[in-house]
Amino acid sequence: MKGSVRKRGDKWSYYFTIGKVDGKYKKKEKGGFSTKKEAEAALREAIRKFETEGHITQSNDYTLTEFINYWFDNVGSAYLKYESMTQYKGVLKNHINNEIGYLPLNKVTPIILQEFFTKKQKEFNCNANTNTVKVIKNLLNNVFKFAKKQNIITLNPMLHLELKSKKETTKKELRVISPEALKAMEAAIKDTRYYIPFLIALHTGVRRGEVLGLTWDNIDFENNRMHIEKALQQQKGKGAVVVGTKTKSSLRDFKMTNVLIEELKKHKEIQNQQKEYYGDHYYKEYDFVCCNEDGSPISPLRFSNFFISLSKRLGYQHSFHDLRHTHATLLH
């Protein structure tokens, strides 16, 4: 069994492959060594220990980064949504790994974390509730709570921090699309594949992913209702993927307006003609309401970019999300 060492920032780390798990090679890595020689000596001892004793590390040998990855594999992956896992892995890579990730888990004290979070708040020129800082806080709190449950540490150091938030002085203004802008946008988008998702969002206020994830079995013309149960999500390396809604409360029904019902019926007739034209080449995995001509899903990212570009071309500054605020305003 062979391994190697590498330098990360001012510290050295070692790594070696321990075998395949679910068809993927699994690596053991440990960092925090001051010199290359220290890392090489530790690598030889780790390989010897693994080959003779059959385990990777004792629980009290975990670095913070190692234990976070252990938590990802054994806890987080079982319940985290794709967006949350992506955010957590992002802050691990960009903020934790090189700054405190090399520290032994049981040596990460409240003082170290207090200094770390103070630095982060200054770095972002923000309060403790700014999104990146909140993501780091949530990740570390989850990890340390789990480490305490497994008797690896005796206390959760996150519970002993003093992280004050500045009072918000200004409330973020919700952008509502004016009647004039709506009329201009609708006219410009009318003969495109984006017209129906535009109309659905305006008449129901549902999110972009929920609009694009709608399938015809979610449309009940008999009772004039629309059922939201899934969403189309843009995932890195995978493209557009259908996922369940964020929470149970996201499962909901909407009563459709007469305008929306009539437009959806017309749209369904056109779509049936397209199905007949494309035949076996029509995308059949999902029966999307909003889709490309061949039935394939519309890219959420491409749709958002189109809407922003259209808005700018017409002299406005709006995103697709503004349709949610506009719908809420029209209800009053």
Side-chain angles (χ1 to χ4, degrees):
M1 181 177 285
K2 292 183 179 181
S4 188
V5 298
R6 60 185 171 190
K7 195 172 185 181
R8 286 186 162 184
D10 296 329
K11 299 291 182 178
W12 285 84
S13 63
Y14 70 74
Y15 63 91
F16 62 95
T17 302
I18 61 175
K20 274 189 174 182
V21 178
D22 296 329
K24 294 181 180 179
Y25 284 102
K26 196 80 172 175
K27 284 198 306 185
K28 159 66 181 170
E29 184 166 3
K30 186 175 177 67
F33 301 102
S34 300
T35 66
K36 183 179 180 181
K37 283 188 176 180
E38 283 183 19
E40 289 173 336
L43 170 63
R44 290 192 293 272
E45 174 60 19
I47 290 175
R48 182 201 66 76
K49 199 170 187 180
F50 181 72
E51 290 179 333
T52 57
E53 299 178 24
H55 59 78
I56 307 170
T57 181
Q58 296 290 343
S59 61
N60 59 2
D61 289 336
Y62 280 113
T63 64
L64 176 57
T65 289
E66 287 173 337
F67 195 77
I68 289 174
N69 283 318
Y70 171 73
W71 181 83
F72 280 152
D73 293 341
N74 295 280
V75 181
S77 60
Y79 78 93
L80 286 175
K81 293 285 188 181
Y82 174 83
E83 300 100 319
S84 299
M85 185 68 90
T86 300
Q87 285 184 321
Y88 282 165
K89 288 188 174 181
V91 296
L92 174 63
K93 177 183 177 182
N94 298 319
H95 300 282
I96 296 173
N97 275 348
N98 292 331
E99 297 187 48
I100 58 175
Y102 61 87
L103 294 170
L105 185 68
N106 56 7
K107 300 294 184 185
V108 183
T109 64
I111 290 177
I112 289 172
L113 289 176
Q114 186 72 55
E115 291 176 351
F116 171 73
F117 276 105
T118 298
K119 177 185 174 184
K120 287 298 155 190
Q121 286 177 268
K122 289 179 180 177
E123 182 180 326
F124 291 103
N125 190 27
C126 63
N127 61 50
N129 288 326
T130 295
N131 191 52
T132 300
V133 179
K134 280 177 70 175
V135 173
I136 299 172
K137 280 171 59 183
N138 291 340
L139 172 60
L140 291 180
N141 193 47
N142 283 331
V143 166
F144 283 118
K145 277 170 65 178
F146 181 62
K148 188 173 183 296
K149 279 185 180 180
Q150 296 214 328
N151 296 317
I152 297 173
I153 56 176
T154 56
L155 61 85
N156 177 355
M158 291 293 294
L159 299 178
H160 299 267
L161 304 185
E162 187 76 19
L163 298 176
K164 299 283 189 182
S165 297
K166 294 177 185 177
K167 289 184 179 179
E168 296 290 338
T169 55
T170 57
K171 190 175 180 180
K172 188 176 180 180
E173 185 180 352
L174 297 180
R175 291 188 298 181
V176 175
I177 306 175
S178 69
E180 295 77 18
L182 274 178
K183 187 176 180 180
M185 288 179 186
E186 185 170 352
I189 211 170
K190 180 77 175 178
D191 296 321
T192 74
R193 58 186 164 169
Y194 300 132
Y195 173 63
I196 291 299
F198 167 86
L199 205 63
I200 292 172
L202 180 62
H203 284 254
T204 63
V206 300
R207 300 176 180 87
R208 178 195 66 179
E210 294 170 336
V211 172
L212 299 181
L214 278 171
T215 47
W216 283 109
D217 59 343
N218 298 138
I219 306 298
D220 180 0
F221 285 121
E222 188 176 337
N223 296 299
N224 298 335
R225 301 197 71 81
M226 175 184 292
H227 180 58
I228 302 298
E229 60 174 359
K230 55 187 176 294
L232 193 67
Q233 189 179 80
Q234 192 86 29
Q235 294 189 4
K236 189 175 181 180
K238 295 182 180 179
V241 178
V242 175
V243 298
T245 51
K246 287 186 175 183
T247 61
K248 286 185 178 179
S249 61
S250 296
L251 295 170
R252 58 208 192 278
D253 284 351
F254 289 95
K255 186 170 179 59
M256 296 187 291
T257 63
N258 291 333
V259 171
L260 182 57
I261 291 167
E262 289 307 310
E263 290 297 328
L264 281 175
K265 285 180 177 179
K266 291 177 190 175
H267 176 62
K268 189 167 179 58
E269 288 180 10
I270 294 171
Q271 204 175 86
N272 286 336
Q273 293 171 9
Q274 291 168 342
K275 286 179 182 178
E276 188 175 342
Y277 174 77
Y278 281 93
D280 292 338
H281 298 289
Y282 194 85
Y283 183 86
K284 295 183 175 68
E285 185 174 355
Y286 290 95
D287 193 14
F288 288 117
V289 174
C290 306
C291 57
N292 297 313
E293 192 175 283
D294 64 354
S296 59
I298 293 173
S299 162
L301 185 58
R302 191 171 297 168
F303 182 31
S304 288
N305 291 338
F306 169 85
F307 195 89
I308 291 170
S309 297
L310 173 70
S311 172
K312 286 181 179 178
R313 181 157 52 84
L314 295 173
Y316 304 104
Q317 295 290 327
H318 287 294
S319 68
F320 183 78
H321 192 73
D322 293 339
L323 287 170
R324 277 174 63 80
H325 306 315
T326 305
H327 170 74
T329 302
L330 292 175
L331 290 179
H332 292 82

